[in-house]
Amino acid sequence: KYLGETMNSVETLAGVIQLAVAPVFLLAAIAGMLSVMSTRLGRIIDRARIIERRIPQAKREEQRVLLRNEVATLWQRIAIINWAIRLCVTGALAVCLVIMTLFVGEFVALNIAALVGVLFLIAMVLMIAGLVFLLREVNLSTQQMRAGMEIALDGAGQEPPGQSR
């Protein structure tokens, strides 16, 4: 196949577009996940700013220690969610390369099946890694919230929900 011969075939082009539809839907899903991650990142940053402003206002040293610990955890969460975003964006770029390779492979006399397969596999590995980082950040968030509840309720002589001593 050569460029002139293949470009005249609308049927061939339609077939490539059909092949590219599934990866395009994957890109839409990745965009949704990135939106969720970006929102989480924004909320974490907002919380860190609030807590950092409260540290100098704390009256007791133990309050300052608790606030500093929370800020440290928030910065850890920021780093983790940043990695999740980087990995998912890189996965999206790999999906874009899959789509581009499908089109180039149709217009040039090359067997690109192996390349498409490898690029798709790379995209999936990156997405899985990004989701694992997101899961880690959510877990850290939950631990931080539970620890805060335990501290707050401990001072009130109560137990946090779902906990027994």
Side-chain angles (χ1 to χ4, degrees):
K1 293 188 280 188
Y2 294 100
L3 185 59
E5 174 186 319
T6 307
M7 283 189 56
N8 290 331
S9 173
V10 174
E11 292 170 0
T12 303
L13 185 58
V16 176
I17 291 171
Q18 285 176 338
L19 279 175
V21 168
V24 169
F25 280 119
L26 180 57
L27 283 176
I30 294 170
M33 290 188 318
L34 287 170
S35 176
V36 167
M37 291 179 196
S38 296
T39 300
R40 287 188 73 82
L41 176 61
R43 293 188 67 165
I44 297 166
I45 290 170
D46 291 344
R47 177 74 179 156
R49 288 179 181 156
I50 290 168
I51 299 301
E52 285 174 340
R53 276 187 251 134
R54 288 183 182 170
I55 292 172
Q57 300 168 356
K59 304 217 183 287
R60 297 188 326 256
E61 182 59 28
E62 61 225 12
Q63 288 175 324
R64 282 189 288 278
V65 168
L66 286 172
L67 292 172
R68 284 187 197 109
N69 287 341
E70 184 173 352
V71 167
T73 303
L74 289 167
W75 281 105
Q76 186 180 9
R77 288 177 56 202
I78 288 169
I80 292 169
I81 201 74
N82 270 322
W83 271 106
I85 291 170
R86 285 183 195 115
L87 289 163
C88 287
V89 166
T90 307
L93 290 172
V95 172
C96 289
L97 287 173
V98 165
I99 295 167
M100 191 175 80
T101 304
L102 287 169
F103 279 94
V104 169
E106 194 56 43
F107 298 128
V108 181
L110 293 174
N111 182 2
I112 49 95
L115 179 59
V116 168
V118 168
L119 286 171
F120 190 77
L121 182 64
I122 289 169
M124 290 299 96
V125 167
L126 289 165
M127 292 306 303
I128 289 167
L131 289 171
V132 167
F133 272 81
L134 175 62
L135 188 59
R136 174 68 182 119
E137 188 277 323
V138 168
N139 187 40
L140 190 56
S141 170
T142 305
Q143 288 174 354
Q144 181 180 11
M145 184 178 223
R146 180 171 300 284
M149 286 175 55
E150 287 173 356
I151 291 167
L153 293 176
D154 190 41
Q158 299 175 8
E159 292 181 8
Q163 297 287 314
S164 59
R165 293 182 192 221

